[in-house]
Amino acid sequence: MENNKLASFANLEAKGRELVAVVRIRPGAGSVDILDYDNPRIWAIIPGYKDKDGVITSLKTGMPVRTGWRDSVRSVRVGTAFDYEGGASIIFTRRWDKGNPIHFLAERTGPASTCVLHRAFGEELKKDPELI
């Protein structure tokens, strides 16, 4: 991810956006706990933002993300970070301006112990995996 692309997502709430993660569950796998991001039944985790109209846009590609009945759209909170397979790492963070929070995405440079870290993967997959 390039820093200029991350800057375009600055102050998400002011733009009517909410940071989310689309979590795709393998067919036939049943449900996965909402807090579980490491379950082997998950075949994709796609960070994105949801706008006022409910459209989810990928942070990686800038393209809309279609969701299906097996997808779980999970809210992402401040302090959550995502590592991408290509080596990019981002964190959802905030700063204060005259007592008001400004939420934004930034390159994660601190250790994993300072955030809730998830792996972002599977976005490039165009076909469901085989039933398990």
Side-chain angles (χ1 to χ4, degrees):
M1 298 241 157
E2 298 176 22
N3 285 338
N4 60 351
K5 188 171 183 181
L6 292 177
S8 69
F9 297 107
N11 209 6
L12 294 165
E13 285 83 0
K15 295 179 180 178
R17 298 172 175 167
E18 174 192 4
L19 194 61
V20 297
V22 176
V23 178
R24 297 212 156 122
I25 311 300
R26 291 182 183 275
S31 63
V32 172
D33 187 277
I34 192 82
L35 298 176
D36 187 355
Y37 282 80
D38 296 320
N39 193 303
R41 294 180 289 183
I42 294 173
W43 68 281
I45 298 175
I46 304 167
Y49 66 86
K50 184 168 64 172
D51 66 20
K52 294 180 228 178
D53 299 325
V55 175
I56 298 172
T57 302
S58 165
L59 294 180
K60 180 178 180 181
T61 66
M63 301 295 294
V65 177
R66 287 192 197 179
T67 57
W69 66 275
R70 285 189 314 273
D71 295 338
S72 171
V73 179
R74 302 177 181 183
S75 294
V76 173
R77 300 291 174 233
V78 170
T80 301
F82 292 96
D83 280 350
Y84 285 89
E85 291 178 323
S89 186
I90 58 172
I91 186 167
F92 184 43
T93 189
R94 73 174 164 227
R95 67 178 172 82
W96 297 89
D97 183 27
K98 299 177 185 165
N100 298 313
I102 297 177
H103 297 90
F104 61 99
L105 293 163
E107 182 179 358
R108 182 179 70 85
T109 56
S113 61
T114 61
C115 60
V116 177
L117 182 61
H118 303 300
R119 188 171 57 104
F121 65 98
E123 186 165 0
E124 71 285 351
L125 300 174
K126 301 301 179 201
K127 178 181 162 194
D128 287 357
E130 299 297 318
L131 290 172
I132 57 172

